[in-house]
Amino acid sequence: MQKEYEGRTEQEAIDKAIRELGLDRDQFDVEIIEKEKKGLFRKGNVKIMVYYGSDEENEISEDEKVNEESPEDHNPEPQNDNERKILEFLDTLISKMGYKGHSVITFRRDSKIGISIESEDSSIIIGRKGKNLDAIQLITNVYAGNLDPDIKVVIDSENYRVRHEEQIIRNAYRIAADVRRTGRSRLLDPMNPFERRLVHTALNDFEGVETKSEGDGLYKQVRILPKK
């Protein structure tokens, strides 16, 4: 779940979140979404987005990283009509895109299903920075939602999602170390909300630096800067 808070400073906004949600600081993530500078006739203001509990995006992302399901969770064969229809839909979708591929179930957890696309054209199916894979996942979830609103599908190929998350975190640590050493801030490439949360969370306890998001729209950039 997520909720916006405002304050004259980032800390004031965070304190409001702590009081209202009844949570400790380490129980939620913070993203700065707006920061107004002080002016002659106006006070400065900071608006933050607080992420806490679990939402759809967070649940799907956690499942993408899970590798500890019990053996029955890894049965690649469909166990019911909905799973069979989803696999058929995905295979048809890949075929209509002009590629050969076969989808198999990699895990099950509650109402969430992990599916991997096995194809010789996996690099194209994944796309630049996983955007094709994200689009395929979105379309498949729309179809699955029509079968059962509770079903959530995680689409992967060649274990891309786990590798991508690890790469984001390694890059964040590397740049954070450079920021701490040079005292100069660095701006990362545009990322979706989940990817930004990975960076904010990974660097939350990284001594000497802090992070904030900049830009508009879904794909914002994370700035890593020396902590004052």
Side-chain angles (χ1 to χ4, degrees):
M1 293 179 283
Q2 60 190 60
K3 193 169 183 179
E4 289 186 7
Y5 290 91
E6 293 186 35
R8 288 172 295 179
T9 64
E10 179 183 353
Q11 189 58 53
E12 182 177 295
I14 291 174
D15 289 342
K16 287 183 180 179
I18 291 173
R19 289 195 299 270
E20 182 174 319
L21 299 175
L23 300 174
D24 294 330
R25 176 60 186 87
D26 59 0
Q27 291 180 290
F28 58 84
D29 296 324
V30 173
E31 177 182 342
I32 299 176
I33 58 178
E34 186 177 321
K35 192 169 186 178
E36 298 178 357
K37 294 182 178 180
K38 293 182 180 180
L40 184 61
F41 299 108
R42 70 176 187 275
K43 298 179 179 179
N45 191 63
V46 176
K47 183 182 293 185
I48 64 173
M49 182 70 75
V50 170
Y51 298 92
Y52 62 100
S54 61
D55 51 27
E56 176 180 327
E57 179 182 84
N58 189 48
E59 290 173 8
I60 290 178
S61 301
E62 286 300 315
D63 284 328
E64 291 167 0
K65 298 182 287 183
V66 169
N67 291 303
E68 300 177 354
E69 293 79 18
S70 58
E72 60 268 26
D73 290 333
H74 285 289
N75 189 337
E77 298 300 322
Q79 302 297 295
N80 53 55
D81 282 345
N82 283 344
E83 290 187 359
R84 176 180 56 78
K85 290 178 180 179
I86 291 171
L87 291 178
E88 290 177 352
F89 172 83
L90 188 52
D91 286 345
T92 301
L93 177 62
I94 298 303
S95 177
K96 289 186 177 295
M97 290 172 62
Y99 306 107
K100 293 181 179 180
H102 177 62
S103 52
V104 296
I105 293 175
T106 55
F107 71 81
R108 299 177 182 86
R109 175 187 283 180
D110 298 327
S111 59
K112 291 178 280 293
I113 306 170
I115 300 176
S116 178
I117 301 172
E118 299 178 352
S119 172
E120 295 180 355
D121 302 303
S122 59
S123 60
I124 300 175
I125 289 172
I126 293 170
R128 185 173 183 271
K129 295 187 177 181
K131 289 189 176 182
N132 291 349
L133 201 62
D134 288 343
I136 292 171
Q137 178 171 287
L138 176 62
I139 294 170
T140 304
N141 270 291
V142 171
Y143 175 79
N146 289 328
L147 298 175
D148 183 343
D150 292 329
I151 293 179
K152 298 295 183 294
V153 182
V154 179
I155 306 295
D156 203 352
S157 184
E158 301 289 342
N159 208 29
Y160 166 79
R161 295 197 182 279
V162 173
R163 290 187 289 108
H164 181 58
E165 290 166 15
E166 291 174 348
Q167 182 181 11
I168 288 175
I169 293 173
R170 284 198 303 268
N171 188 56
Y173 280 133
R174 178 180 60 81
I175 294 178
D178 185 65
V179 168
R180 183 171 59 186
R181 178 178 60 83
T182 64
R184 295 193 298 269
S185 69
R186 294 276 299 276
L187 196 61
L188 305 185
D189 291 337
M191 292 181 282
N192 64 38
F194 171 68
E195 292 170 336
R196 295 197 304 272
R197 284 193 64 192
L198 279 178
V199 175
H200 291 310
T201 302
L203 299 183
N204 188 51
D205 296 322
F206 195 99
E207 187 176 350
V209 303
E210 57 187 356
T211 61
K212 64 177 182 178
S213 291
E214 297 181 359
D216 300 313
L218 181 64
Y219 285 86
K220 299 179 183 179
Q221 292 176 275
V222 174
R223 182 177 293 279
I224 304 176
L225 61 161
K227 183 175 289 185
K228 298 180 180 178

